[in-house]
Amino acid sequence: MTVLLEARGVTKYFGGVQALKDVSLTINAGEIYGLIGPNGAGKTTFFNALTGLYQRDGGEIGFCGAALRLSSPHEVAKAGIARTFQNIRLFANMTARENVMVGRHSRTRAGVVGAVLRDRATRAEEAALRRRADELLRYVGIEHRADDIARHLAYGDQRRLEIARALATDPKLLALDEPAAGMNATETASLKSLIEGLRADGLTVLLIEHDVKLVMGLCDRVAVLDYGEKIAEDVPASVQRNPKVIEAYLGGAA
């Protein structure tokens, strides 16, 4: 298998607290990789260090065979890593289509001059941007809500819209932070199908999720963090039997 992302010794401090302790893991191209752990284990901190929201205090991340030394989420997105957030971060007063179009702007060519002069190339690019946004809304199953204001969408549809906006950047790796949070069983099953479809279409997915049943039924491999340290990394069946994992979740000896 081809390694898409390799983290080596990633470390992060907040004051005197070490939130990540030499975390190392590899994600292969085309797989769904799960990152789980109890509350406060460091999962979102790792996501934020990966996607440019936090600066690492130590360690390296390789992506597509090169060192990932980028300092902002915008640069990371251009490099091919897109993410969603545990707390939905949509442009609440924009339409669903406009939200996706904003996500796509990192891949457009028109600069300030083009936007002001509205030349032919700029108009053509904007038309293409709109078509691509509609394609992505259709892909995630909410094309009928394209003209609706984002804050008026149902919760599950807002989650799908966030995924569509992330996909608009043409990522090689899609990082999903708690995508099933707040969903009912029907919405979660639908989300599972969507993520499986993403992988079938060639996308690599990194998934943080508290729904262990979803992770174990969806992911090819799973890593477990506890107090900022990786305590396991394997296929789901092996991780579920790991005594350290059982202890971390149950709070006692396996």
Side-chain angles (χ1 to χ4, degrees):
M1 284 191 175
T2 302
V3 174
L4 180 69
L5 182 140
E6 183 177 8
R8 298 178 292 272
V10 175
T11 300
K12 179 64 184 176
Y13 289 90
F14 294 106
V17 177
Q18 190 172 9
L20 294 175
K21 304 174 184 177
D22 297 321
V23 174
S24 297
L25 54 84
T26 59
I27 300 175
N28 296 317
E31 75 175 338
I32 302 174
Y33 187 99
L35 187 62
I36 65 173
N39 287 331
K43 304 182 298 295
T44 296
T45 299
F46 179 83
F47 252 45
N48 290 341
L50 170 64
T51 56
L53 283 177
Y54 294 161
Q55 298 303 301
R56 302 185 297 274
D57 293 315
E60 299 177 342
I61 295 177
F63 183 65
C64 294
L68 192 67
R69 298 191 183 96
L70 304 174
S71 59
S72 73
H74 178 72
E75 290 177 314
V76 171
K78 289 196 74 171
I81 300 174
R83 70 166 294 175
T84 64
F85 292 86
Q86 182 176 352
N87 299 312
I88 295 172
R89 296 190 185 183
L90 296 170
F91 296 101
N93 294 314
M94 288 184 177
T95 66
R97 180 185 293 113
E98 288 167 343
N99 266 273
V100 181
M101 290 175 71
V102 167
R104 186 68 182 169
H105 272 293
S106 67
R107 297 297 184 196
T108 59
R109 296 171 180 268
V112 175
V113 174
V116 172
L117 297 180
R118 302 282 299 156
D119 58 22
R120 181 186 299 178
T122 300
R123 293 195 303 271
E125 188 172 64
E126 287 186 0
L129 198 67
R130 183 184 178 94
R131 287 194 300 272
R132 181 58 177 156
D134 287 345
E135 288 172 1
L136 290 170
L137 291 172
R138 190 176 307 113
Y139 186 89
V140 301
I142 57 171
E143 68 275 14
H144 58 294
R145 308 303 302 270
D147 295 313
D148 291 350
I149 300 299
R151 61 187 169 87
H152 293 159
L153 299 181
Y155 183 82
D157 287 347
Q158 289 188 18
R159 287 284 184 192
R160 287 174 173 269
L161 177 55
E162 242 201 343
I163 292 174
R165 188 177 64 183
L167 292 175
T169 66
D170 289 341
K172 295 181 178 68
L173 174 67
L174 177 63
L176 303 174
D177 191 354
E178 299 280 0
M183 287 187 174
N184 59 37
T186 300
E187 290 170 330
T188 299
S190 181
L191 174 70
K192 181 175 183 287
S193 295
L194 174 59
I195 296 173
E196 288 172 334
L198 291 170
R199 190 261 301 277
D201 287 335
L203 192 62
T204 306
V205 179
L206 170 59
L207 175 70
I208 284 181
E209 186 51 64
H210 269 107
D211 187 334
V212 176
K213 182 180 178 182
L214 174 64
V215 171
M216 296 303 175
L218 182 62
C219 295
D220 301 296
R221 290 188 302 133
V222 178
V224 186
L225 297 184
D226 190 32
Y227 294 106
E229 293 185 87
K230 189 184 78 175
I231 60 172
E233 182 185 30
D234 210 330
V235 297
S238 295
V239 167
Q240 285 178 296
R241 296 192 299 266
N242 188 304
K244 289 184 178 180
V245 175
I246 295 170
E247 183 176 354
Y249 272 99
L250 300 182

